[in-house]
Amino acid sequence: MNLQSIVSRSISPLESGVCSITKLEAGDAFNVIPASVLMRGTIRALSTETLLSLRDRVQHIVETTAATYGANTTITYSPDFYPPTVNDPALYQEFSKSVGALVADNGQVLETEPTMGAEDFSFVAEAIPSTFFMLGQGSGKEPATNYGLHHPHFALDESVMPKGVELHVNL
């Protein structure tokens, strides 16, 4: 439970962050206290500074909570640290006026809220001016295609694929 308070208590309300435990593994029987517990989760933010701050808070809370109960702890972060994906503002403006307008239904790119998705592309965007775009779907047909990629009901609307090809050809 302590980890759930990190975002609300440790970062500015003007920043965004996520700290979630998404997997627990403990024991093999319902009536035996397990010798160990494995917890897995994710930490995400819209800036590298906030992401590193959240990691520090997780480390502190996990270590002090374990010490309170006389337990040992080991925290291992994935070696493939993903920084936030941040668009170059000038490149994004140019992209949204030209290439993006080619494939948008109404000739304009739809602005979206920032997301916490972790992308390999973030490494490219740190090295050279870049812009990341998402090709929308959500046709309103069955099966429903308006679910996110990691949602259990995700379904691809293949009718958007020609637009994706056109978009990449015109980059």
Side-chain angles (χ1 to χ4, degrees):
M1 285 302 291
N2 293 344
L3 295 176
Q4 298 302 324
S5 67
I6 291 175
V7 172
S8 64
R9 300 287 185 238
S10 300
I11 64 173
S12 165
L14 302 177
E15 290 287 326
S16 293
V18 172
C19 179
S20 296
I21 299 300
T22 57
K23 183 176 182 180
L24 289 169
E25 295 177 15
D28 296 318
F30 75 93
N31 60 347
V32 178
I33 297 172
S36 64
V37 174
L38 175 66
M39 297 175 19
R40 295 183 184 266
T42 186
I43 301 170
R44 298 184 183 204
L46 296 179
S47 73
T48 300
E49 178 184 343
T50 301
L51 185 63
L52 295 174
S53 173
L54 291 173
R55 285 175 63 150
D56 289 345
R57 291 295 301 145
V58 166
Q59 182 88 26
H60 176 75
I61 288 173
V62 168
E63 288 175 350
T64 57
T65 302
T68 298
Y69 294 100
N72 298 318
T73 183
T74 302
I75 297 178
T76 305
Y77 289 102
S78 176
D80 54 351
F81 167 79
Y82 286 88
T85 302
V86 179
N87 286 336
D88 177 82
L91 189 59
Y92 174 77
Q93 285 301 320
E94 181 60 32
F95 163 79
S96 64
K97 289 177 185 171
S98 59
V99 178
L102 289 174
V103 296
D105 286 337
N106 63 358
Q108 297 179 346
V109 172
L110 176 65
E111 296 285 334
T112 61
E113 296 287 324
T115 70
M116 297 287 176
E119 289 291 334
D120 293 342
F121 187 76
S122 62
F123 296 108
V124 174
E126 281 189 330
I128 60 173
S130 302
T131 188
F132 185 84
F133 51 90
M134 294 183 281
L135 183 60
Q137 56 172 30
S139 63
K141 301 175 186 171
E142 289 296 326
T145 57
N146 58 338
Y147 293 103
L149 180 61
H150 296 287
H151 191 281
H153 296 295
F154 173 79
L156 178 63
D157 178 1
E158 293 184 7
S159 70
V160 301
M161 294 177 87
K163 288 187 178 191
V165 170
E166 183 179 357
L167 185 63
H168 281 88
V169 166
N170 286 287
L171 287 177

